[in-house]
């Protein structure tokens, strides 16, 4: 056995004459390189996104009627305005997760897209669960009046 004073790995001679030092050296250099090198851009972004995620969000499904508290700043004052409607779509995931909420305001359909983890969204409360068989409820756009109602679900 031979030991190098700079390297902590020990090399052993195999019967065929090959050494394991090359394999051990690559393992040790990658381990020390990850410990001593700076974080990559991807790791920094993932860490930042994890810090920005909200933890107290309820389970939201398409078809649910939700009340979203939206922060509105007027001058130096800030208030929370509720926006209630039916979730007609969910998109993306993680920090970029969005829901589209549709409501009827003065006889006109209004849709609004909310980023769930945005600081502008103060709170989200599920008012009632909807029983639907589609992932996107865009067909509600063509419906008027009582035809836009979604059946209530009691098992969730």
């Amino acid at each position: 056995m031979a030991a190098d004073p700079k390297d902590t790995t020990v090399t052993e001679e195999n019967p065929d004459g090959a050494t394991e030092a090359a394999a051990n050296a690559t393992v040790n250099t990658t381990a020390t390189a990850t410990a001593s090198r700076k974080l990559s851009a991807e790791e920094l972004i993932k860490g930042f996104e994890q810090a920005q995620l909200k933890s107290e969000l309820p389970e939201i499904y398409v078809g649910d009627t939700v009340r979203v508290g939206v922060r509105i700043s007027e001058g130096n004052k800030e208030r929370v305005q509720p926006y209630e409607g039916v979730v007609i779509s969910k998109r993306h995931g993680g920090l970029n997760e969005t829901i589209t909420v549709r409501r009827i305001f003065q006889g006109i359909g209004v849709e609004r897209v909310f980023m769930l983890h945005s600081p502008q969204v103060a709170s989200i409360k599920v008012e009632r669960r909807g029983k639907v068989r589609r992932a996107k409820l865009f067909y509600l756009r063509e419906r008027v009046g009582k035809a836009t109602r979604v059946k209530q679900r009691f098992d969730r």
Side-chain angles (χ1 to χ4, degrees):
M1 280 201 219
D4 189 358
K6 288 190 269 182
D7 194 8
T8 58
T9 61
V10 177
T11 60
E12 295 183 34
E13 287 286 329
N14 285 343
D16 60 347
T19 61
E20 294 180 12
N24 288 341
T26 57
V27 171
N28 286 343
T29 55
T30 56
T32 56
T34 55
S36 64
R37 73 181 168 102
K38 294 180 182 177
L39 292 172
S40 69
E42 184 178 340
E43 291 170 349
L44 283 172
I45 291 170
K46 281 185 180 180
F48 177 75
E49 285 182 355
Q50 288 295 328
Q52 298 298 315
L53 289 176
K54 292 181 181 177
S55 59
E56 70 279 352
L57 289 177
E59 286 289 320
I60 299 171
Y61 300 96
V62 173
D64 293 352
T65 301
V66 295
R67 178 173 290 164
V68 181
V70 184
R71 282 194 180 96
I72 295 176
S73 59
E74 297 169 337
N76 56 358
K77 294 182 183 177
E78 187 174 285
R79 63 185 176 91
V80 176
Q81 178 178 339
Y83 187 91
E84 186 172 348
V86 177
V87 177
I88 63 169
S89 77
K90 281 180 67 174
R91 296 187 68 199
H92 311 300
L95 188 65
N96 299 321
E97 188 173 4
T98 62
I99 58 172
T100 304
V101 180
R102 180 176 175 84
R103 68 183 283 200
I104 305 298
F105 182 72
Q106 295 181 353
I108 299 171
V110 179
E111 292 180 6
R112 197 161 170 191
V113 179
F114 295 103
M115 293 193 75
L116 294 181
H117 299 283
S118 169
Q120 298 299 322
V121 175
S123 65
I124 297 178
K125 184 178 180 214
V126 178
E127 297 294 324
R128 61 190 291 243
R129 300 282 183 194
K131 185 176 182 180
V132 294
R133 296 170 63 179
R134 300 279 179 269
K136 305 281 192 272
L137 303 182
F138 296 142
Y139 66 88
L140 292 178
R141 293 172 176 165
E142 285 87 44
R143 300 205 176 175
V144 178
K146 290 184 178 180
T148 60
R149 290 182 299 183
V150 175
K151 284 186 181 180
Q152 189 167 1
R153 181 178 204 139
F154 296 103
D155 60 345
R156 274 194 230 150

